[in-house]
Amino acid sequence: MNVRQRKLEMIEAMNRARALEPSSFVPNKLLDTLIQKMNLKNDAELCRVLEVQPPIISKIRHRKLAVGATILLRMHEKSDMSIKELKELSNASMH
């Protein structure tokens, strides 16, 4: 087995382990609240307002990417919601 194959196997194992971990990150509530609060129609408009590429919002919505500091600050600036509110929304319970 070469180095590349080992690396791919390790990445796959990490992804499987990550999928089994309970996560408190709930991006849909955060993104949907932002869209509603800013009177936007959809994720595409949210991308334009936040000045990010659509794949970024898509990856956040599908839990493939966490909300980083830069986008969190942008959300705060554009929505006038506090950082604390935004973080609470992204960590809210799914129930």
Side-chain angles (χ1 to χ4, degrees), residues 41-52:
K41 292 179 184 175
N42 52 34
D43 286 354
E45 278 194 24
L46 183 61
C47 291
R48 286 190 283 276
V49 169
L50 297 178
E51 300 172 10
V52 297

mmCIF file with all atom_site columns, all heavy atoms in Angstrom, residues 41-52:
data_model
loop_
_atom_site.group_PDB
_atom_site.id
_atom_site.type_symbol
_atom_site.label_atom_id
_atom_site.label_alt_id
_atom_site.label_comp_id
_atom_site.label_asym_id
_atom_site.label_entity_id
_atom_site.label_seq_id
_atom_site.pdbx_PDB_ins_code
_atom_site.Cartn_x
_atom_site.Cartn_y
_atom_site.Cartn_z
_atom_site.occupancy
_atom_site.B_iso_or_equiv
_atom_site.pdbx_formal_charge
_atom_site.auth_seq_id
_atom_site.auth_comp_id
_atom_site.auth_asym_id
_atom_site.auth_atom_id
_atom_site.pdbx_PDB_model_num
ATOM 1  N N   . LYS A 1 41 ? -34.617 35.882 0.364  1.00 0.00 ? 41 LYS A N   1
ATOM 2  C CA  . LYS A 1 41 ? -35.433 34.803 -0.198 1.00 0.00 ? 41 LYS A CA  1
ATOM 3  C C   . LYS A 1 41 ? -34.814 33.427 0.002  1.00 0.00 ? 41 LYS A C   1
ATOM 4  O O   . LYS A 1 41 ? -35.516 32.448 0.189  1.00 0.00 ? 41 LYS A O   1
ATOM 5  C CB  . LYS A 1 41 ? -35.663 35.033 -1.695 1.00 0.00 ? 41 LYS A CB  1
ATOM 6  C CG  . LYS A 1 41 ? -36.528 36.224 -1.990 1.00 0.00 ? 41 LYS A CG  1
ATOM 7  C CD  . LYS A 1 41 ? -36.692 36.398 -3.472 1.00 0.00 ? 41 LYS A CD  1
ATOM 8  C CE  . LYS A 1 41 ? -37.480 37.663 -3.775 1.00 0.00 ? 41 LYS A CE  1
ATOM 9  N NZ  . LYS A 1 41 ? -37.552 37.923 -5.205 1.00 0.00 ? 41 LYS A NZ  1
ATOM 10 N N   . ASN A 1 42 ? -33.477 33.355 -0.084 1.00 0.00 ? 42 ASN A N   1
ATOM 11 C CA  . ASN A 1 42 ? -32.841 32.034 -0.085 1.00 0.00 ? 42 ASN A CA  1
ATOM 12 C C   . ASN A 1 42 ? -31.346 32.130 0.215  1.00 0.00 ? 42 ASN A C   1
ATOM 13 O O   . ASN A 1 42 ? -30.826 33.220 0.483  1.00 0.00 ? 42 ASN A O   1
ATOM 14 C CB  . ASN A 1 42 ? -33.072 31.346 -1.436 1.00 0.00 ? 42 ASN A CB  1
ATOM 15 C CG  . ASN A 1 42 ? -32.670 32.239 -2.600 1.00 0.00 ? 42 ASN A CG  1
ATOM 16 O OD1 . ASN A 1 42 ? -31.728 33.015 -2.498 1.00 0.00 ? 42 ASN A OD1 1
ATOM 17 N ND2 . ASN A 1 42 ? -33.396 32.122 -3.696 1.00 0.00 ? 42 ASN A ND2 1
ATOM 18 N N   . ASP A 1 43 ? -30.676 30.991 0.148  1.00 0.00 ? 43 ASP A N   1
ATOM 19 C CA  . ASP A 1 43 ? -29.237 30.941 0.408  1.00 0.00 ? 43 ASP A CA  1
ATOM 20 C C   . ASP A 1 43 ? -28.447 31.782 -0.593 1.00 0.00 ? 43 ASP A C   1
ATOM 21 O O   . ASP A 1 43 ? -27.423 32.370 -0.235 1.00 0.00 ? 43 ASP A O   1
ATOM 22 C CB  . ASP A 1 43 ? -28.736 29.492 0.368  1.00 0.00 ? 43 ASP A CB  1
ATOM 23 C CG  . ASP A 1 43 ? -29.139 28.688 1.600  1.00 0.00 ? 43 ASP A CG  1
ATOM 24 O OD1 . ASP A 1 43 ? -29.707 29.274 2.540  1.00 0.00 ? 43 ASP A OD1 1
ATOM 25 O OD2 . ASP A 1 43 ? -28.886 27.465 1.601  1.00 0.00 ? 43 ASP A OD2 1
ATOM 26 N N   . ALA A 1 44 ? -28.902 31.836 -1.836 1.00 0.00 ? 44 ALA A N   1
ATOM 27 C CA  . ALA A 1 44 ? -28.185 32.613 -2.858 1.00 0.00 ? 44 ALA A CA  1
ATOM 28 C C   . ALA A 1 44 ? -28.125 34.088 -2.473 1.00 0.00 ? 44 ALA A C   1
ATOM 29 O O   . ALA A 1 44 ? -27.075 34.732 -2.588 1.00 0.00 ? 44 ALA A O   1
ATOM 30 C CB  . ALA A 1 44 ? -28.848 32.439 -4.218 1.00 0.00 ? 44 ALA A CB  1
ATOM 31 N N   . GLU A 1 45 ? -29.248 34.618 -1.989 1.00 0.00 ? 45 GLU A N   1
ATOM 32 C CA  . GLU A 1 45 ? -29.253 36.016 -1.555 1.00 0.00 ? 45 GLU A CA  1
ATOM 33 C C   . GLU A 1 45 ? -28.378 36.197 -0.318 1.00 0.00 ? 45 GLU A C   1
ATOM 34 O O   . GLU A 1 45 ? -27.699 37.209 -0.173 1.00 0.00 ? 45 GLU A O   1
ATOM 35 C CB  . GLU A 1 45 ? -30.679 36.489 -1.266 1.00 0.00 ? 45 GLU A CB  1
ATOM 36 C CG  . GLU A 1 45 ? -31.432 36.897 -2.504 1.00 0.00 ? 45 GLU A CG  1
ATOM 37 C CD  . GLU A 1 45 ? -32.710 37.669 -2.171 1.00 0.00 ? 45 GLU A CD  1
ATOM 38 O OE1 . GLU A 1 45 ? -32.812 38.276 -1.087 1.00 0.00 ? 45 GLU A OE1 1
ATOM 39 O OE2 . GLU A 1 45 ? -33.608 37.649 -3.014 1.00 0.00 ? 45 GLU A OE2 1
ATOM 40 N N   . LEU A 1 46 ? -28.400 35.222 0.573  1.00 0.00 ? 46 LEU A N   1
ATOM 41 C CA  . LEU A 1 46 ? -27.557 35.282 1.760  1.00 0.00 ? 46 LEU A CA  1
ATOM 42 C C   . LEU A 1 46 ? -26.079 35.330 1.360  1.00 0.00 ? 46 LEU A C   1
ATOM 43 O O   . LEU A 1 46 ? -25.303 36.107 1.922  1.00 0.00 ? 46 LEU A O   1
ATOM 44 C CB  . LEU A 1 46 ? -27.829 34.086 2.672  1.00 0.00 ? 46 LEU A CB  1
ATOM 45 C CG  . LEU A 1 46 ? -27.059 34.047 3.988  1.00 0.00 ? 46 LEU A CG  1
ATOM 46 C CD1 . LEU A 1 46 ? -27.392 35.257 4.859  1.00 0.00 ? 46 LEU A CD1 1
ATOM 47 C CD2 . LEU A 1 46 ? -27.356 32.756 4.732  1.00 0.00 ? 46 LEU A CD2 1
ATOM 48 N N   . CYS A 1 47 ? -25.712 34.555 0.365  1.00 0.00 ? 47 CYS A N   1
ATOM 49 C CA  . CYS A 1 47 ? -24.337 34.569 -0.142 1.00 0.00 ? 47 CYS A CA  1
ATOM 50 C C   . CYS A 1 47 ? -23.950 35.957 -0.638 1.00 0.00 ? 47 CYS A C   1
ATOM 51 O O   . CYS A 1 47 ? -22.860 36.451 -0.347 1.00 0.00 ? 47 CYS A O   1
ATOM 52 C CB  . CYS A 1 47 ? -24.167 33.571 -1.291 1.00 0.00 ? 47 CYS A CB  1
ATOM 53 S SG  . CYS A 1 47 ? -24.276 31.862 -0.802 1.00 0.00 ? 47 CYS A SG  1
ATOM 54 N N   . ARG A 1 48 ? -24.854 36.569 -1.390 1.00 0.00 ? 48 ARG A N   1
ATOM 55 C CA  . ARG A 1 48 ? -24.565 37.911 -1.920 1.00 0.00 ? 48 ARG A CA  1
ATOM 56 C C   . ARG A 1 48 ? -24.400 38.926 -0.796 1.00 0.00 ? 48 ARG A C   1
ATOM 57 O O   . ARG A 1 48 ? -23.463 39.724 -0.811 1.00 0.00 ? 48 ARG A O   1
ATOM 58 C CB  . ARG A 1 48 ? -25.646 38.340 -2.898 1.00 0.00 ? 48 ARG A CB  1
ATOM 59 C CG  . ARG A 1 48 ? -25.562 37.627 -4.232 1.00 0.00 ? 48 ARG A CG  1
ATOM 60 C CD  . ARG A 1 48 ? -26.491 38.227 -5.273 1.00 0.00 ? 48 ARG A CD  1
ATOM 61 N NE  . ARG A 1 48 ? -27.880 37.846 -5.076 1.00 0.00 ? 48 ARG A NE  1
ATOM 62 C CZ  . ARG A 1 48 ? -28.441 36.729 -5.502 1.00 0.00 ? 48 ARG A CZ  1
ATOM 63 N NH1 . ARG A 1 48 ? -27.710 35.851 -6.174 1.00 0.00 ? 48 ARG A NH1 1
ATOM 64 N NH2 . ARG A 1 48 ? -29.706 36.467 -5.278 1.00 0.00 ? 48 ARG A NH2 1
ATOM 65 N N   . VAL A 1 49 ? -25.290 38.871 0.183  1.00 0.00 ? 49 VAL A N   1
ATOM 66 C CA  . VAL A 1 49 ? -25.222 39.822 1.295  1.00 0.00 ? 49 VAL A CA  1
ATOM 67 C C   . VAL A 1 49 ? -23.951 39.617 2.116  1.00 0.00 ? 49 VAL A C   1
ATOM 68 O O   . VAL A 1 49 ? -23.291 40.582 2.501  1.00 0.00 ? 49 VAL A O   1
ATOM 69 C CB  . VAL A 1 49 ? -26.481 39.699 2.193  1.00 0.00 ? 49 VAL A CB  1
ATOM 70 C CG1 . VAL A 1 49 ? -26.314 40.473 3.483  1.00 0.00 ? 49 VAL A CG1 1
ATOM 71 C CG2 . VAL A 1 49 ? -27.716 40.176 1.449  1.00 0.00 ? 49 VAL A CG2 1
ATOM 72 N N   . LEU A 1 50 ? -23.609 38.364 2.378  1.00 0.00 ? 50 LEU A N   1
ATOM 73 C CA  . LEU A 1 50 ? -22.418 38.062 3.174  1.00 0.00 ? 50 LEU A CA  1
ATOM 74 C C   . LEU A 1 50 ? -21.130 38.115 2.362  1.00 0.00 ? 50 LEU A C   1
ATOM 75 O O   . LEU A 1 50 ? -20.044 38.015 2.922  1.00 0.00 ? 50 LEU A O   1
ATOM 76 C CB  . LEU A 1 50 ? -22.546 36.687 3.826  1.00 0.00 ? 50 LEU A CB  1
ATOM 77 C CG  . LEU A 1 50 ? -23.685 36.511 4.832  1.00 0.00 ? 50 LEU A CG  1
ATOM 78 C CD1 . LEU A 1 50 ? -23.701 35.078 5.354  1.00 0.00 ? 50 LEU A CD1 1
ATOM 79 C CD2 . LEU A 1 50 ? -23.570 37.500 5.976  1.00 0.00 ? 50 LEU A CD2 1
ATOM 80 N N   . GLU A 1 51 ? -21.286 38.259 1.043  1.00 0.00 ? 51 GLU A N   1
ATOM 81 C CA  . GLU A 1 51 ? -20.137 38.326 0.130  1.00 0.00 ? 51 GLU A CA  1
ATOM 82 C C   . GLU A 1 51 ? -19.268 37.072 0.225  1.00 0.00 ? 51 GLU A C   1
ATOM 83 O O   . GLU A 1 51 ? -18.049 37.135 0.361  1.00 0.00 ? 51 GLU A O   1
ATOM 84 C CB  . GLU A 1 51 ? -19.322 39.585 0.396  1.00 0.00 ? 51 GLU A CB  1
ATOM 85 C CG  . GLU A 1 51 ? -20.118 40.861 0.196  1.00 0.00 ? 51 GLU A CG  1
ATOM 86 C CD  . GLU A 1 51 ? -19.382 42.113 0.647  1.00 0.00 ? 51 GLU A CD  1
ATOM 87 O OE1 . GLU A 1 51 ? -18.172 42.042 0.941  1.00 0.00 ? 51 GLU A OE1 1
ATOM 88 O OE2 . GLU A 1 51 ? -20.041 43.166 0.707  1.00 0.00 ? 51 GLU A OE2 1
ATOM 89 N N   . VAL A 1 52 ? -19.938 35.916 0.173  1.00 0.00 ? 52 VAL A N   1
ATOM 90 C CA  . VAL A 1 52 ? -19.234 34.633 0.136  1.00 0.00 ? 52 VAL A CA  1
ATOM 91 C C   . VAL A 1 52 ? -19.733 33.831 -1.050 1.00 0.00 ? 52 VAL A C   1
ATOM 92 O O   . VAL A 1 52 ? -20.843 34.046 -1.538 1.00 0.00 ? 52 VAL A O   1
ATOM 93 C CB  . VAL A 1 52 ? -19.429 33.808 1.436  1.00 0.00 ? 52 VAL A CB  1
ATOM 94 C CG1 . VAL A 1 52 ? -18.857 34.526 2.625  1.00 0.00 ? 52 VAL A CG1 1
ATOM 95 C CG2 . VAL A 1 52 ? -20.879 33.459 1.665  1.00 0.00 ? 52 VAL A CG2 1
#
